[in-house]
Amino acid sequence: MKISIGCDHIVTEIKDNVVKYLQDKGHEVIDNGTYDKVRTHYPIYGKKTAAKVVSGEADLGIVICGTGVGISVSSDKVKGARTALVGNVESARFARETLNANILGMGGRITGAGLMENIIDVFLATAYKKTEENERLIAKIDAIAIDAAQVKDEHLFDEFIEKWDQGGYPAE
């Protein structure tokens, strides 16, 4: 499997360990950086990593920063990226199996090395279960991607609020 990976300067050595771990398991790795401890901005590496996944150059992606939050949010801004910030094995399984997540986000300062390896193993080994329900859920998630003009629309979520006010969302 070909894995695109990126990180910020805070966790470079952790990313390097993950790269070696993946290569030792036989995966091809596209290392998007960063490569040192010089202060940088994680959105650059989140975008680079996600772009390789979305373009098909990589099968899946992994992004790591101190908490995982910033780089996960950044990578998810690339249209077609479905980044899951994960801190445990079951969340990794769910993200792949149900939501067809294609990028794994992790916090290098808050997740131990052994747990990170377990999470990666499960994320990479878990296949998406294509069901009508999962496809509808992903379509709903994809449908809420909004452009700059929609951001200013105060009534954008009226339909959803109305459904909630009428008793929530029935099981579909």
Side-chain angles (χ1 to χ4, degrees):
M1 188 176 297
K2 191 182 285 190
I3 311 298
S4 178
I5 189 167
C7 71
D8 69 0
H9 63 284
I10 295 171
V11 295
T12 303
E13 70 285 346
I14 293 168
K15 184 261 308 171
D16 292 343
N17 290 337
V18 170
V19 167
K20 182 179 181 331
Y21 179 75
L22 291 166
Q23 290 171 333
D24 288 349
K25 290 194 156 260
H27 298 290
E28 183 179 339
V29 179
I30 303 169
D31 185 346
N32 301 293
T34 189
Y35 308 106
D36 53 39
K37 301 297 265 176
V38 176
R39 185 172 173 81
T40 188
H41 301 286
Y42 53 78
I44 297 165
Y45 304 98
K47 178 186 179 292
K48 284 181 177 185
T49 301
K52 298 247 178 10
V53 173
V54 170
S55 72
E57 190 175 334
D59 300 306
L60 294 171
I62 299 173
V63 292
I64 310 167
C65 70
T67 63
V69 175
I71 200 163
S72 292
V73 170
S74 299
S75 67
D76 208 43
K77 297 298 182 191
V78 176
K79 189 173 182 158
R82 284 180 306 283
T83 306
L85 174 57
V86 172
N88 63 70
V89 170
E90 285 310 309
S91 294
R93 186 181 332 278
F94 176 82
R96 286 287 300 136
E97 203 170 78
T98 305
L99 301 175
N100 201 15
N102 53 10
I103 300 170
L104 171 63
M106 292 184 291
R109 285 199 167 169
I110 61 174
T111 309
L115 179 55
M116 287 179 82
E117 291 172 358
N118 291 340
I119 290 169
I120 290 166
D121 289 345
V122 168
F123 189 81
L124 298 182
T126 302
Y128 170 58
K129 287 187 179 175
K130 187 174 183 174
T131 67
E132 274 188 49
E133 182 180 0
N134 290 347
E135 288 291 298
R136 280 196 309 267
L137 180 58
I138 292 168
K140 286 178 183 178
I141 292 169
D142 289 347
I144 62 171
I146 60 175
D147 61 33
Q150 291 173 306
V151 169
K152 295 178 183 178
D153 181 357
E154 293 181 26
H155 301 286
L156 182 65
F157 294 107
D158 286 356
E159 170 192 353
F160 304 107
I161 293 167
E162 183 180 329
K163 284 182 183 177
W164 186 260
D165 288 345
Q166 294 174 357
Y169 294 88
E172 294 180 23

